Amino acid sequence: MLHTISQRIKTAWALAPVLAADQTDIGIKVPAGMEGLDKITVQSMISGVIGIIMIVVALVFFFILILGGLKWVTSEGDEKKVSAARSQITNGLIGLAIVFAAFAIMKLIGAVFEVDIFNFKIPKLTG
């Protein structure tokens, strides 16, 4: 079992430069008026998904932070409610810090290896 896993890792390692260099289109048939869609590659789709996930997660943690603040304001001095609100605010801040650290790490990797991970452009719809 370990032998097959090591063989698969070696094969993946050998094919990684080939797969990374592949810039072929995915072959979408484009209807009239949407000519920019045929230029979408797998790489642009993956970078777009990464960017959207980062934005959604940051918004989720931001709203957790806001809701924790609202819970604190409406706690009416009850220690249990204040404690729950304080922990929610802490969790929201930790989540935002993780998201922004992941963003900074991805930008650092992009700068070091000269790869733009967030280079996603929405194609223009003509009409």
Side-chain angles (χ1 to χ4, degrees):
M1 180 166 168
L2 289 175
H3 179 64
T4 58
I5 292 173
S6 67
Q7 284 296 95
R8 290 184 184 188
I9 291 173
K10 288 177 185 175
T11 304
W13 185 261
L15 291 177
V18 175
L19 295 175
D22 184 22
Q23 294 290 327
T24 58
D25 291 337
I26 59 175
I28 298 174
K29 298 292 183 196
V30 181
M34 302 176 83
E35 285 77 18
L37 291 177
D38 61 344
K39 304 294 185 226
I40 294 178
T41 62
V42 174
Q43 292 85 357
S44 68
M45 289 172 47
I46 291 171
S47 67
V49 168
I50 289 172
I52 290 170
I53 288 173
M54 294 287 284
I55 291 170
V56 168
V57 170
L59 286 174
V60 166
F61 282 117
F62 178 74
F63 283 118
I64 287 173
L65 181 69
I66 296 296
L67 287 175
L70 289 175
K71 283 184 181 179
W72 193 327
V73 169
T74 59
S75 66
E76 299 174 353
D78 185 13
E79 285 297 320
K80 289 182 181 179
K81 290 181 180 179
V82 169
S83 175
R86 186 178 300 146
S87 68
Q88 187 171 0
I89 290 171
T90 304
N91 292 338
L93 288 174
I94 290 171
L96 281 175
I98 290 171
V99 169
F100 289 125
F103 178 77
I105 290 170
M106 291 173 72
K107 283 296 198 178
L108 179 67
I109 290 171
V112 169
F113 295 110
E114 296 179 0
V115 176
D116 191 8
I117 297 172
F118 294 109
N119 186 15
F120 176 70
K121 295 178 183 170
I122 298 175
K124 295 181 180 177
L125 300 177
T126 59

